[in-house]
Each structure stands twice: as structure tokens, then as C-alpha cells.
Amino acid sequence: IWWLDPELTYGNAKPFVFTQGHSVCNRSFFPCFDTPAVKCTYSATVKAPAGIQVLMSATQSTYLEEEGVYQFYMEYPVPAYLVALVAGDLIHADIGPRSRVWAEPCLLPTAISKLSGMVERWLSAAESLYGPYIWGRYDIVFLPPSFPIVAMENPCLTFIISSILESDEFLIIDVIHEVAHSWFGNAVTNATWEEMWLSEGLATYAQRRITTETYGAAFTCLETAFRLDALHRQMKLLGEDNPVSKLQVKLEPGVNPSNLMNLFTYEKGYCFVYYLSQLCGDPRHFDSFLRAYIEKYKFTSVVAQDLLDSFLNFFPELKEQCVESKAGLEFERWLNATGPPLAEPDLSQGSSLTRPVENLFKLWTTEPLDSAAAASSADLTKWRTFQTVLFLDRLLDGSPLPHAVIKKLSECYSSQLDSMNAEIRIRWLQIVVRNDYYPDLYKVRRFLENQMSRMYTIPLYEDLCTGTLKSFALEIFYQTQNQLHPNLRKTIQQILSQGLNPLPAIDTTAVTTDTPAMVLEDKVSEATNGAISLRDVNVSA
């Protein structure tokens, strides 16, 4: 349960509270069987002060104004982690026949402009693929930057961090992913956290089927290429033999299941589901199977064998061909082998969008550098966000770059990137930090002074503390810590405390010279892993 003082909200007017149950946190909210294997309906009565709007992930709600009492009822069985509550200075607007958006008053116009008419389009596309939307309403509430993840698929009421509003393409993908969870994860749920891919892999597959229907195959392939790049980056960091890269990962006693949630859950799971769809020869045949799967198992929890047995029974010709035992691509190997996916999708339909990225990256990283050719070969202001972040991620992977290259990159793109969304800006600033490019350090300070979310602060602090700029990070943190949620503040303190050995302050015009000494909390017993930043594992729930 996250309690926020008014100053941690956008409006700074009223306190705010929200819950985040995934994966085993709702046991601190109410007594429950906190496992996805158990589902039940629920009702709730909530009393709140006047002026505080209360919402829950429920199909029915009433409000007795004279008593200040809200009553909620979820008529369909759900696992404990999908019970959610939020309360604060929230107002709403309808954005479709069965959807409304809730946000703080200062954010509502932006939310309306981004989503009006869009959610119904996505719901209709999903219904055409996977059958009726069974939850009644699909509402969205935008939460303050303290929300610890990007989005959460609470039934009837998706929670999304407000910070994502400025990044249109990420907002589209995140909402569509949560829409897909209405079928995969919420209606049919993984019975054990050791098989989270049953929700996340299938939801990611369904998300991409929806984006293909609504935005075309090229856009879907571009987004997929961006995510698979991140998967291989994580694979390189973790090592191919790491057990967390299995789809059926072993959950040891005392381990929080959320610690097992990574890009393999999403992208390796997606690749397996995509491989199953390719065995059918036509994705529409696989859509038909998934509709039957949902109809058979809705409101229940399943294990991987349920999905795979249903698949082979639905396609008896594939069962006769023993596709589950195909050499090198055995279903059992997909589930239990470490390392990258056994097969990846053909993304050639996205080449019109990915090829310019590959060409530009090659121009900037080929020696000797022809800066004039590189600078004139592409106009980033006309690119899609996913093209730009894919390009910047690859530059990040190649950092540190030669000083002449980073200097020319800054001359060509720094001012353009200043006006782009936060998903783009944070990547450029990470390049600045990893290359110790002092002329642009003031932009790092300015960015961190205006960000309060984990997704846009942790990656930069990790990079600052990995290199030679820890004292710079300490100064920024000292000046901004009061605007951060205590949980985020503690995480950053842990990052700053690893091998603490403050260096002299970097001499930039943005650095103050009278920063008092700062005392950090004691080191926690479990060190923060600075090698894997949130840039590499930035995922929705």
C-alpha cells in the first residue's frame, strides 16, 4: 500500500494512496490466499474523506455521498494480486462507449487528447481476434510518478504511470499490452509464478497481433526488434546459463516471484508462442485456437501443459507430426533450456523502419568517421520514437565511443533530442554519462531535477555511479531527494552507497560549490546490481 503526501502528486493538493498487488504484495492489504492458483469474487466497503475519489478493480460500484462510503463488487473470480485500490484527487472523462480515463485535474486534458477513441479501437480489434471482452468496462487511471512499474492490468481499471503520457508510442504499446491481459492473465491465469510466461508471453503475442491489425506489420516488427534487442542485451549481462532465462524458472523458498520477472518472461515467452503460431501455417488459425483456449479456461488458472495439450488437441495433424518433439525445437527444451529463444520471428516486414536505423548506426560507428555523411543521412525529427530509441540503445551498447564521435553526435542531435519525449532523452543522457561528455552534463542534472519516477531516475544514477561521476550524482540527489518517494529514495541511496568513495565535484556551471556533506543509510545486505539498469528490464506488469 503506497501512501503519498500531496507534494508527491502532480497537483500537490491532496494525499494519494494506491495498492500494487503483483505478485505477492496483497497479503499486506487484506488476508488472502496470495497465489494465482486461487480465484474468487470480492466485495469491498471503503470510507474516504470528502473530495477524495476512490476506485477499485471491480465490475460494480456505488457511492453514498452523505456517508462518504464507496461500495465495490467484482462479480468474476480473480486471483488476489488483481484486487487493486486507488484514492486521491481524481476526475474522469469518457473516452469511448465503455471506457473512461481518470487522472489528476492537471493531467486529464493530456490523457483525453492521447486516448480519446483509441481504447475502443484496440478493444474491438482484440475482440475480433480473441472473442468478447468479458469485464464490462475498461477504464484507465493515471498514477503519480511514484508508481513503481509502468502499468498494471487490474481488471476493469488499468493502472498506468503518468510519466508515460509524453511518449506516445510507448503509451500505445503499454495500454494495448494491458488490454491483451484482459484475455491472457486476467481471464486465464498462470497457476504458478514459475510460469509467468503463460500470462506475459501470450499477452505480448496478443498485443502484437492487435498492433498489426491497427497499425500494420511494419510498426509491430519495429517494436519487436527494439524489445528483442533489449532481450539480447539482458542475455549478455546475465550469461546464457543463467537459470532466470528459463521459461519454467524454479522458485526457491523465500524468493519474491517479482524478482524472477524479466524480459525472458515477456520476449522468450513471446517467441515460443509465435513459434506455435507458425506451426499452424496461418496466424488466423492460431487466433481461433486461442479463442477456444480462452473459452475453455476463462476464470481459471492453468499450467503450461494445459496450454500445450489444448494446442495439440486443437490441431490433431500437428500432433500426428509430433511437432512437440521436433529436434532442437522440442516443447520441453523451449520451457526448460537456459539461453536465448530457440527461434525468433521474421521481422523483415519492418525493414522499411529498421533499415534506416541500422544504416545510421553503421555510419556513426565505422572508422574513419564521415561525420558529414552521418549527419545528413537521417532526420531524427521525422523518425518514429521506436526508431530513435533503437538507434540510441545501439549507441549505448557501443559506449564508450571515441571522443570525436560523441562530440559530433552532440553537435548533430543534442538540441533536437532536447525537445523529444523522456524515453528518448534518457537514452541520450545515458550516452552522455557513459562517455563522460561534460559539455552536456547540465542536461543530466536538469532531467533528474524534474523526474520523480523509477523508470527515469534509476538508470541514470546507476550509470553515474558506475563511472567517474558519483560525486555529481550525490549532489543532484541531495538537492532532489525530498521530491522522491521514500522507496525510490532508499533505492538510490543503495546505488550511491556501493563502494562509496566521493570524488571531487565536476566543474560544470550547473554544479553548486556549497553542497553539504550527505550521510547515506547503511548498506543493505543485498547489493544493488548496477550492471542491469531499468533501461534493460523496463517492462509492464
Side-chain angles (χ1 to χ4, degrees):
I1 306 175
W2 296 60
W3 303 90
L4 309 185
D5 292 328
E7 54 266 28
L8 291 179
T9 68
Y10 281 103
N12 298 312
K14 298 177 182 178
F16 201 98
V17 63
F18 64 86
T19 64
Q20 170 58 16
H22 192 287
S23 50
V24 291
C25 297
N26 268 352
R27 61 190 66 182
S28 67
F29 181 20
F30 57 93
C32 59
F33 295 104
D34 203 358
T35 164
V38 175
K39 291 188 172 186
C40 64
T41 60
Y42 80 86
S43 59
T45 302
V46 184
K47 186 174 176 63
I52 295 294
Q53 176 68 51
V54 181
L55 305 170
M56 290 192 75
S57 56
T59 51
Q60 300 173 28
S61 64
T62 58
Y63 177 52
L64 304 174
E65 186 172 0
E66 62 277 8
E67 300 175 21
V69 171
Y70 292 84
Q71 293 179 320
F72 300 94
Y73 178 56
M74 167 52 81
E75 62 191 282
Y76 303 116
V78 295
Y81 76 89
L82 290 178
V83 178
L85 176 146
V86 58
D89 186 13
L90 296 167
I91 59 175
H92 76 271
D94 290 336
I95 54 171
R98 47 184 163 172
S99 300
R100 62 180 42 160
V101 65
W102 293 86
E104 292 184 61
C106 59
L107 289 177
L108 188 65
T110 301
I112 295 169
S113 68
K114 302 279 187 178
L115 292 173
S116 184
M118 303 304 295
V119 173
E120 183 60 29
R121 181 185 178 193
W122 301 330
L123 284 171
S124 297
E127 287 183 312
S128 70
L129 293 168
Y130 305 120
Y133 177 74
I134 59 180
W135 303 98
R137 296 198 59 80
Y138 185 91
D139 295 341
I140 296 171
V141 58
F142 284 96
L143 276 72
S146 300
F147 189 51
I149 56 175
V150 179
M152 180 63 206
E153 68 272 15
N154 302 308
C156 307
L157 186 67
T158 287
F159 284 20
I160 300 189
I161 192 168
S162 299
S163 313
I164 207 71
L165 273 169
E166 68 172 276
S167 306
D168 288 1
E169 290 180 24
F170 279 82
L171 176 64
I172 288 170
I173 293 299
D174 289 332
V175 175
I176 292 177
H177 184 84
E178 306 313 318
V179 165
H181 269 308
S182 302
W183 285 262
F184 306 100
N186 295 4
V188 182
T189 308
N190 47 281
T192 166
W193 291 122
E194 294 180 335
E195 294 185 330
M196 258 189 278
W197 74 273
L198 281 171
S199 289
E200 296 303 346
L202 280 161
T204 302
Y205 177 85
Q207 161 211 312
R208 288 174 181 153
R209 288 288 290 127
I210 296 167
T211 59
T212 299
E213 293 295 313
T214 51
Y215 296 101
F219 175 74
T220 300
C221 289
L222 171 65
E223 184 267 335
T224 305
F226 163 71
R227 300 293 186 191
L228 289 178
D229 250 31
L231 176 70
H232 288 290
R233 186 176 306 117
Q234 194 173 90
M235 180 91 273
K236 185 176 179 182
L237 289 167
L238 294 174
E240 292 199 3
D241 294 330
N242 196 305
V244 302
S245 63
K246 294 181 181 181
L247 289 184
Q248 284 188 329
V249 63
K250 182 64 175 173
L251 188 58
E252 299 295 338
V255 174
N256 187 332
S258 294
N259 293 345
L260 303 179
M261 202 168 186
N262 53 49
L263 283 174
F264 297 97
T265 310
Y266 291 77
E267 297 304 333
K268 189 172 181 179
Y270 160 75
C271 287
F272 184 28
V273 177
Y274 180 87
Y275 170 70
L276 295 177
S277 75
Q278 293 301 293
L279 292 175
C280 304
D282 185 333
R284 289 171 295 184
H285 295 160
F286 193 65
D287 296 337
S288 299
F289 158 67
L290 290 177
R291 279 196 298 273
Y293 167 78
I294 291 292
E295 186 59 33
K296 179 178 180 180
Y297 289 110
K298 67 182 176 185
F299 305 131
T300 68
S301 300
V302 300
V303 295
Q305 204 58 51
D306 295 322
L307 172 70
L308 298 176
D309 287 347
S310 297
F311 174 76
L312 293 173
N313 290 334
F314 193 87
F315 297 105
E317 68 281 8
L318 296 179
K319 190 173 185 178
E320 290 176 9
Q321 297 169 24
C322 298
V323 294
E324 73 276 16
S325 304
K326 186 175 180 180
L329 293 166
E330 300 90 346
F331 290 0
E332 181 66 22
R333 188 175 176 192
W334 270 103
L335 295 175
N336 289 304
T338 60
L342 303 183
E344 294 188 9
D346 175 10
L347 301 180
S348 59
Q349 287 182 283
S351 60
S352 62
L353 297 173
T354 56
R355 191 180 299 114
V357 175
E358 293 162 358
N359 291 342
L360 185 61
F361 175 73
K362 187 176 181 180
L363 283 170
W364 279 106
T365 54
T366 299
E367 296 182 359
L369 173 67
D370 185 345
S371 57
S376 62
S377 66
D379 182 357
L380 299 193
T381 62
K382 295 180 180 178
W383 272 15
R384 288 183 172 272
T385 290
F386 279 118
Q387 289 179 290
T388 306
V389 295
L390 183 61
F391 170 61
L392 294 176
D393 274 351
R394 291 183 177 179
L395 288 176
L396 266 171
D397 290 340
S399 293
L401 300 162
H403 181 74
V405 172
I406 188 69
K407 184 174 184 293
K408 285 295 183 181
L409 281 166
S410 178
E411 291 172 2
C412 289
Y413 301 129
S414 186
S415 60
Q416 289 181 25
L417 299 174
D418 283 346
S419 61
M420 295 184 185
N421 64 61
E423 290 288 343
I424 291 173
R425 295 202 312 279
I426 189 174
R427 286 167 167 81
W428 169 247
L429 296 177
Q430 284 185 278
I431 292 171
V432 167
V433 170
R434 290 189 191 184
N435 288 275
D436 294 332
Y437 189 64
Y438 290 5
D440 276 2
L441 271 185
Y442 74 96
K443 296 183 179 182
V444 177
R445 173 185 288 276
R446 187 170 64 195
F447 185 86
L448 288 173
E449 286 173 346
N450 290 285
Q451 293 294 338
M452 296 182 288
S453 68
R454 296 182 70 87
M455 58 196 284
Y456 295 136
T457 53
I458 298 295
L460 276 171
Y461 275 108
E462 286 180 332
D463 282 347
L464 285 165
C465 292
T466 299
T468 61
L469 298 171
K470 181 171 280 190
S471 63
F472 181 61
L474 282 164
E475 291 167 358
I476 297 171
F477 176 71
Y478 179 80
Q479 293 169 2
T480 61
Q481 61 178 324
N482 290 336
Q483 71 190 42
L484 305 176
H485 188 276
N487 290 6
L488 176 57
R489 197 182 309 152
K490 183 177 181 180
T491 301
I492 296 174
Q493 286 173 330
Q494 291 168 4
I495 293 169
L496 292 167
S497 72
Q498 301 309 310
L500 184 60
N501 182 22
L503 301 169
I506 300 300
D507 184 16
T508 74
T509 56
V511 174
T512 61
T513 57
D514 57 351
T515 303
M518 199 186 96
V519 178
L520 293 171
E521 291 184 352
D522 291 338
K523 285 187 183 181
V524 292
S525 58
E526 185 176 346
T528 302
N529 185 351
I532 306 173
S533 73
L534 287 191
R535 179 182 68 84
D536 302 313
V537 288
N538 183 12
V539 294
S540 305

